[in-house]
Amino acid sequence: MTTESHQRLLIVDFGSQVTQLIARRLREARIYCEIHPFQKVDGAFLASFAPQAVILSGGPASVVESASPRADPAVFTLGVPVLGICYGQQVMMEQLGGRVEAGHHAEFGRAFVSPADTADPLFAGLFATGREEVWMSHGDRVTALAPGFSVIGASPNAPFAIVADPARHFYAVQFHPEVHHTVNGARILRNFTDLAGFTGDWTMAAYKEQAIAAIRAQVGEARVICGLSGGVDSSVAAVLIHEAIGEQLTCVFVDTGLMRQGEADEVVGLFRDHYNIPLIHADEGDRFLSALAGIDEPEAKRKIIGRLFIEVFEARAREVGDAEFLAQGTLYPDVIESVSFTGGPSVTIKSHHNVGGLPERMHLKLVEPLRELFKDEVRALGRELGLPASFVGRHPFPGPGLAIRCPGAITPEKLAILRKADAVYLEQIRRHGLYDAIWQAFAVLLPVRTVGVMGDGRTYDYVCALRAVTSVDGMTADYYPFDHHFLSETATRIINEVKGINRVTYDITSKPPGTIEWE
Ligand code: XMP
């Protein structure tokens, strides 16, 4: 997809844990930017990308070590403003003729920077109280400036906290302006993009029109199929593609029998009836449940579901005949190539279910209209496309569905109990106005039965665990601090209204060490 009509900023990634936050802050200021690993950014890349400014990210390496990464020298001869952050600052100083030293300079956490020159355009609107609170995280530090640079801000432990060569519009900061702990960090980044001439021309309305044109150009007269899960990403991708190519798009909704209460009807109703998008509703619950019968190992469940999903999708997609393209709701965080210094693979915690493998198997080309967007931008695009707010704001739901919220072997009876409990729980959350404050909430039916007393009788029923977390991206999470009144009211309702459950617990595990789902 082309984004050439936008002003573009390039972020050169040296592997910092927080590089994505630089992009987030810029996108919030309506500036189009892309993150690329330092190895890939050479003269040819720079010429074709044609950035209007460059930001060099932080990173875990040490500039004083011989094999540590550097920016391609062409970055400094492009004639555009450059901002170096932390490791990016050290790289800039070292490559432009200054000096960096290792050891005994580590500084982590909060610091206060005072200005040496408040007239610099980087400082517009800053230092109202005489100093700025910033967040440091570095081991080495600059000890001699490169020619042309001078100090424009310093902290007690960081004499080169902010340095500048105003003639070339080169800036470098030792702290991380992209993190929230740097109180006015977003303003610093905006001042930098202002002085680089960015006007904030990245809007969802403009993006929508451009994305539609790009889909038409890519697809031509060909047919496209799209797997719908009921989640935000695939829904937004489907509606966008439908606006672009109308009936050339067919959606396939694989109903695994592991959906939540009313979910299949909602998805089919929205897409087939409201949007009039050709939709194949593959009702395959029996097939999935019989393949899962007696299987209690989480990874085994995930593998069976992934395999069946692909088989069903493939078989149903054949009904569309001559589809040439597969649409996927891939997001930008999945696309950013990670910078690895160790090269080793990371451990598999869970085999995530997706439609990976399908394009090669079916000889399909991919259409991925969301691959430049972050999750909240996808939601904004969904609103721009007129998707109902209830759909756009949905909590994430995993591909393997309720199978991974029913530890142990799955039975239709257990799934029915879980569906009811989950519906009561979510209804409670909505009724108390908490849905949007929570990243994800769901019930889990434990494979444990306990003794209880209801009326004058003994019960011996299942335990239900409730989970609700806050998170930014699902990578880390904390449990949601419900008040006790909410918890006791919800537990009472579940026990009274859902036959088969006589005990409710609340999961207060964060991620890590837990994961969000139980399997
Ligand atoms: P975990 O349990 O790994 O979940 O902490 C993180 C986020 O990912 C969702 N999740 C999945 N999503 N396919 C998906 O599409 C999967 O197989 C899958 N497993 C977990 C989970 O709901 C949470 O939002």
Side-chain angles (χ1 to χ4, degrees):
M1 185 172 303
T2 169
T3 46
E4 257 125 50
S5 55
H6 297 287
Q7 297 176 307
R8 297 149 71 81
L9 186 147
L10 172 66
I11 300 167
V12 180
D13 187 16
F14 289 110
S16 157
Q17 297 288 323
V18 289
T19 301
Q20 280 199 28
L21 293 180
I22 306 173
R24 294 292 315 118
R25 298 285 93 79
L26 296 173
R27 294 275 182 104
E28 281 158 16
R30 299 187 164 184
I31 286 161
Y32 185 79
C33 56
E34 287 183 21
I35 300 173
H36 290 278
F38 71 93
Q39 300 97 322
K40 187 169 144 189
V41 178
D42 57 15
F45 177 90
L46 289 165
S48 80
F49 190 91
Q52 190 162 325
V54 177
I55 294 182
L56 307 176
S57 86
S62 171
V63 170
V64 295
E65 280 163 18
S66 57
S68 58
R70 293 288 180 276
D72 191 286
V75 164
F76 304 113
T77 54
L78 277 176
V80 303
V82 180
L83 171 66
I85 295 175
C86 196
Y87 183 81
Q89 179 194 45
Q90 295 160 14
V91 158
M92 254 171 114
M93 287 304 104
E94 204 267 350
Q95 289 189 249
L96 295 174
R99 199 169 58 242
V100 176
E101 281 179 15
H104 311 303
H105 302 301
E107 187 182 14
F108 296 94
R110 188 194 304 176
F112 291 91
V113 173
S114 304
D117 171 9
T118 46
D120 194 282
L122 192 71
F123 291 164
L126 297 173
F127 296 108
T129 61
R131 59 183 199 167
E132 287 292 338
E133 183 175 334
V134 304
W135 190 72
M136 297 277 187
S137 174
H138 61 96
D140 306 340
R141 72 171 178 186
V142 174
T143 52
L145 290 177
F149 281 84
S150 57
V151 173
I152 59 169
S155 76
N157 287 323
F160 299 106
I162 312 177
V163 302
D165 176 350
R168 287 187 285 179
H169 284 146
F170 285 179
Y171 289 87
V173 294
Q174 193 161 0
F175 55 89
H176 286 269
E178 67 275 31
V179 304
H180 278 294
H181 314 283
T182 295
V183 177
N184 284 316
R187 181 68 200 252
I188 296 174
L189 290 172
R190 211 174 72 223
N191 288 344
F192 172 71
T193 55
D194 280 354
L195 67 86
F198 283 85
T199 55
D201 61 358
W202 168 252
T203 65
M204 263 315 139
Y207 179 75
K208 181 184 121 185
E209 294 314 318
Q210 189 193 313
I212 286 174
I215 293 165
R216 286 185 184 140
Q218 184 190 4
V219 167
E221 302 292 308
R223 299 195 66 80
V224 179
I225 48 171
C226 176
L228 273 189
S229 65
V232 182
D233 307 340
S234 62
S235 303
V236 170
V239 174
L240 179 69
I241 294 170
H242 185 66
E243 281 219 6
I245 58 167
E247 304 239 320
Q248 282 166 253
L249 170 72
T250 303
C251 290
V252 181
F253 172 62
V254 180
D255 184 348
T256 55
L258 301 164
M259 315 303 281
R260 287 167 294 191
Q261 189 164 294
E263 190 149 44
D265 291 343
E266 248 178 70
V267 174
V268 174
L270 183 73
F271 285 89
R272 189 182 279 162
D273 305 338
H274 183 79
Y275 280 104
N276 217 4
I277 297 179
L279 174 75
I280 296 171
H281 178 187
D283 188 358
E284 301 280 355
D286 291 345
R287 184 164 170 176
F288 279 80
L289 293 190
S290 53
L292 288 166
I295 308 289
D296 60 4
E297 207 280 315
E299 277 298 290
K301 285 183 185 173
R302 282 175 171 272
K303 296 251 161 66
I304 290 171
I305 294 167
R307 175 177 55 77
L308 282 185
F309 187 91
I310 289 186
E311 279 174 24
V312 170
F313 189 88
E314 200 175 13
R316 295 307 191 107
R318 263 188 236 116
E319 294 171 20
V320 182
D322 52 355
E324 216 177 285
F325 291 91
L326 174 72
Q328 287 195 334
T330 313
L331 302 191
Y332 193 45
D334 310 324
V335 174
I336 300 171
E337 296 168 57
S338 58
V339 170
S340 164
F341 294 104
T342 56
S346 54
V347 199
T348 301
I349 308 290
K350 300 178 184 185
S351 313
H352 271 221
H353 149 103
N354 56 35
V355 287
L358 263 177
E360 299 84 54
R361 233 167 113 138
M362 297 177 65
H363 307 292
L364 292 168
K365 290 176 246 169
L366 285 176
V367 189
E368 297 179 310
L370 312 181
R371 53 184 285 128
E372 292 169 357
L373 305 183
F374 286 97
K375 186 94 181 175
D376 56 337
E377 292 175 316
V378 172
R379 291 198 159 116
L381 178 59
R383 286 190 286 274
E384 189 69 39
L385 288 161
L387 269 157
S390 57
F391 234 82
V392 171
R394 278 182 150 209
H395 290 175
F397 186 63
L402 298 184
I404 58 171
R405 295 178 178 176
C406 208
I410 299 160
T411 63
E413 178 221 4
K414 283 189 189 171
L415 286 174
I417 295 173
L418 174 57
R419 261 187 207 107
K420 283 193 193 133
D422 191 69
V424 171
Y425 180 37
L426 285 176
E427 209 233 315
Q428 277 286 103
I429 286 175
R430 287 207 171 87
R431 188 189 282 180
H432 284 259
L434 300 173
Y435 190 85
D436 292 337
I438 293 171
W439 156 270
Q440 198 173 10
F442 52 88
V444 180
L445 190 75
L446 304 192
V448 177
R449 292 203 288 167
T450 67
V451 174
V453 51
M454 278 179 97
D456 291 327
R458 174 187 193 267
T459 58
Y460 185 53
D461 283 330
Y462 288 111
V463 180
C464 168
L466 303 179
R467 182 91 166 123
V469 296
T470 54
S471 177
V472 176
D473 50 15
M475 303 298 288
T476 59
D478 208 350
Y479 75 91
Y480 186 79
F482 287 123
D483 65 36
H484 281 272
H485 170 71
F486 174 89
L487 287 172
S488 68
E489 186 183 277
T490 306
T492 305
R493 275 197 62 191
I494 290 175
I495 291 166
N496 286 342
E497 295 173 34
V498 184
K499 198 165 171 340
I501 291 175
N502 69 353
R503 195 175 293 265
V504 174
T505 68
Y506 186 51
D507 178 357
I508 55 165
T509 320
S510 60
K511 172 182 179 176
T515 55
I516 295 177
E517 304 287 349
W518 276 45
E519 290 196 330

